């Protein structure tokens, strides 16, 4: 496709990027908002005039994907596995011209390796690794993790955090069940008050009993119903870290190599 | 594409739909949020269990589109015209399987006829007509319009409202300039405080001098920086009306013809 005239003066054209969403759809839409905010911040830091045409072309795919946690519970092949839906949507994002793709679901990162291997021409970003890099830069040593059962079992965050020298505190089985209730009977079913109660309770326990310095909201549904006042502690939204990383991919570094 | 198992029990499969965004990108992302909310409400009204896989597949195209108001000011052909960018993105949404498309920009509806004519297989929704139908159903007789210069000049809302028997109050030239400042130097440039001041001032004038019963926020940037407390009057967000209409297209009526 030809670029419209006057795209971005003097800073190279932004790259087209894709967002793999639908897991759930509210979180996917929210991720698009975070990405637009991250682009605005990046343009302001770079001294690029912020206007509609200066944003990178980006496509949000909100596709039905079988439940990720259920698939990790039952690893047999079948229609309940999300791999095919994730591959199809990623392929369509690549066909639309995306150079980088962000997956707007923590648990779906269990299929990150499959997607990256099948689409080597794309940069498939990795949310837990982006979070670990950010926490390391902040000097954090001990963080609490709120997530789905699937994410806990996959060890996605534990591995990324430990690799960065950060201790990862996880709730006990009752706390995990309470989180699943908040995610499925709360956010995904439209009952935000229930979600809020569940998330607060588990976040406060990780702070009080575990001594977590910061709580990582390791499921995209959780930030939709939890804030720092409710949690009583500092929160990190991995979707925001991922949105920043996608904006970094969208705006190539200037030719002189200086970083904003 | 095959459908994942257990998509929506007993209510037909939702149709794939598309959102034409990027005008501006913040408004496009916000429209995706409104659409997801409208789908949730529609499922709840229909008694469909709300879960990720019950949402319609939808694609948000956030593409760079030349400025719509500038193009209406200078109707000569050229790279400053948005028609080609709008046609390309609509064609790609159609290729992704969309049956209906919503345009997340009021002013861009000046090109609605072009898109609908070129893609007769799609239902290209018309935001001002959806708004007029909603206001008529509410029994409104006299409404104020906040919009871009391009939308005022195109007469998009005035025609749709008058056709529905509703009087359309518009600000004077100074008020219109103030709105353009709020949209371009405010929202599109990331200065929300400026945007808020501009929008409030013009909304309050339409209420006080014109006697508007409700204010139509006829530019997708305006709801991002104006609420009813600030305006001092009832507000109608056309994006919400359009999102409801797109959700209606996504969920086919049940076979027995009953409406939710």
């Amino acid at each position: 496709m030809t670029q419209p005239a006057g795209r971005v003066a003097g800073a190279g054209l932004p790259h087209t990027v894709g967002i793999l969403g639908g897991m759930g759809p509210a979180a996917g839409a929210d991720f698009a908002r975070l990405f637009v905010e991250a682009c605005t911040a990046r343009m302001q830091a770079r001294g690029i005039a912020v206007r509609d045409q200066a944003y990178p072309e980006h496509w949000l795919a909100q596709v039905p994907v079988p439940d990720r946690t259920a698939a990790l519970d039952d690893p047999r092949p079948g229609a309940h596995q999300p791999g095919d839906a994730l591959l199809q949507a990623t392929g369509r994002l690549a066909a639309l011209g995306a150079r980088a793709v962000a997956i707007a679901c923590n648990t779906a990162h269990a299929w990150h390796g499959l997607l990256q291997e099948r689409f080597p021409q794309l940069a498939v970003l990795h949310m837990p690794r982006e979070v670990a890099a950010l926490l390391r830069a902040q000097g954090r040593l001990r963080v609490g993790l709120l997530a789905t059962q699937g994410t806990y079992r996959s060890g996605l965050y534990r591995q990324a955090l430990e690799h960065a020298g950060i201790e990862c505190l996880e709730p006990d089985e009752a706390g995990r069940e309470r989180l699943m209730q908040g995610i499925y009977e709360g956010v995904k079913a439209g009952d935000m008050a229930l979600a809020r109660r569940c998330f607060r309770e588990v976040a406060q326990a990780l702070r009080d009993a575990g001594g977590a310095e910061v709580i990582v909201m390791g499921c995209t549904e959780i930030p939709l119903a939890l804030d720092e006042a409710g949690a009583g502690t500092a929160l990190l939204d991995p979707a925001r870290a991922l949105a920043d990383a996608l904006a970094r991919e969208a705006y190539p570094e200037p030719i002189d190599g200086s970083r904003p």
Side-chain angles (χ1 to χ4, degrees), chain A residues 146-171:
Chain A
L146 302 185
T148 60
Q149 290 280 22
T151 297
Y152 288 124
R153 274 181 219 137
S154 71
L156 283 166
Y157 274 94
R158 202 166 44 242
Q159 286 160 21
L161 291 167
E162 286 175 359
H163 192 258
I166 299 163
E167 188 182 354
C168 177
L169 302 167
E170 300 182 350

Side-chain angles (χ1 to χ4, degrees), chain A residues 118-158:
Chain A
R118 193 73 67 87
F119 297 101
Q121 76 275 31
L122 292 179
V124 182
L125 303 182
H126 193 291
M127 184 146 48
R129 287 181 205 148
E130 296 294 339
V131 167
L134 183 62
L135 288 167
R136 186 165 51 183
Q138 292 174 352
R140 303 288 193 180
L141 294 173
R142 196 175 169 81
V143 309
L145 176 66
L146 302 185
T148 60
Q149 290 280 22
T151 297
Y152 288 124
R153 274 181 219 137
S154 71
L156 283 166
Y157 274 94
R158 202 166 44 242

Side-chain angles (χ1 to χ4, degrees), chain A residues 103-120:
Chain A
I103 308 165
C105 170
N106 287 273
T107 314
H109 281 73
W111 288 267
H112 174 274
L114 174 71
L115 300 179
Q116 185 61 85
E117 187 182 353
R118 193 73 67 87
F119 297 101

